[in-house]
Amino acid sequence: MKSLKYTIIVFATGLTLFQSCQQETSYKQVRDEVITAHDKLMADDEKVMNNKMKLDTLASPAYLLKVKTEKPETDTALLRREADSLRLELDSAGTRMSEWMQKFEPEQSGKSNAEAVAYFEGEKKKVIMLDSLYQALLKQSGAYLKQYNFKTDEHTGEHHHMKM
């Protein structure tokens, strides 16, 4: 009877250890999530660049003159400051993305799986925050550009592809 109890205890302990090992998240899985999130963010980076170019056009002397001619009541100095401000915010977001990419270390050799998972979980949070920033700025700049009949991506600001 004692050997049966001993066998059951050993089996249960082994099973528990096996399950805990099986449930440990692989750093490669989390790293892949970060890279997938980054790739989706890079697609939005193209939209950021397009909006920056449109804001450049909006703030150009030729376009401001056209606006002033068509709508003399328009404060073109204010229009230019607003366009420049939005363009700088978009540029700043792009810089933050570039800085993140330069610091990102996809290889975590010499670290335990748990340390690597913790690193990649932190990086995933950073990418999600960058995505939120991009989405807010794309929505804001898109709405601003629409006021002046510039077409923007209709999906911008409404999609949430960073749900993880």
Side-chain angles (χ1 to χ4, degrees):
M1 191 64 157
K2 283 185 181 181
S3 69
L4 180 59
K5 285 182 183 178
Y6 179 74
T7 304
I8 292 173
I9 291 171
V10 169
F11 179 75
T13 303
L15 184 60
T16 303
L17 287 173
F18 176 75
Q19 287 176 335
S20 68
C21 288
Q22 291 288 81
Q23 293 174 354
E24 184 178 36
T25 303
S26 164
Y27 80 89
K28 290 179 182 180
Q29 176 186 350
V30 183
R31 180 184 62 193
D32 290 347
E33 291 173 7
V34 172
I35 290 171
T36 298
H38 162 266
D39 292 346
K40 289 176 182 176
L41 187 56
M42 288 305 296
D44 286 338
D45 194 56
E46 200 172 308
K47 295 172 190 172
V48 165
M49 296 302 266
N50 284 334
N51 281 10
K52 280 176 34 180
M53 288 189 301
K54 291 172 183 174
L55 288 164
D56 281 340
T57 300
L58 180 61
S60 72
Y63 193 83
L64 292 172
L65 180 61
K66 178 183 171 196
V67 169
K68 194 65 168 176
T69 302
E70 292 174 2
K71 297 180 181 177
E73 71 281 1
T74 303
D75 183 348
T76 54
L78 176 62
L79 191 154
R80 182 179 181 134
R81 284 193 306 274
E82 290 171 343
D84 286 344
S85 176
L86 279 171
R87 191 177 54 218
L88 286 173
E89 288 185 60
L90 289 168
D91 197 43
S92 176
T95 299
R96 287 177 64 184
M97 176 64 174
S98 294
E99 289 171 353
W100 175 84
M101 288 189 321
Q102 290 172 358
K103 292 176 185 175
F104 180 67
E105 296 178 21
E107 296 303 320
Q108 292 292 301
S109 47
K111 293 188 178 178
S112 70
N113 185 68
E115 290 171 321
V117 166
Y119 170 77
F120 289 120
E121 287 291 347
E123 295 304 297
K124 185 165 69 170
K125 287 178 184 174
K126 290 176 188 177
V127 172
I128 290 170
M129 287 182 357
L130 282 168
D131 180 67
S132 294
L133 176 63
Y134 266 43
Q135 295 313 310
L137 288 173
L138 285 169
K139 186 175 183 178
Q140 182 182 6
S141 61
Y144 188 77
L145 288 164
K146 280 183 184 180
Q147 292 178 43
Y148 298 97
N149 297 321
F150 281 84
K151 297 204 185 293
T152 60
D153 183 352
E154 294 298 319
H155 299 92
T156 300
E158 293 301 319
H159 74 288
H160 300 282
H161 54 66
M162 294 307 232
K163 292 180 182 174
M164 289 189 201

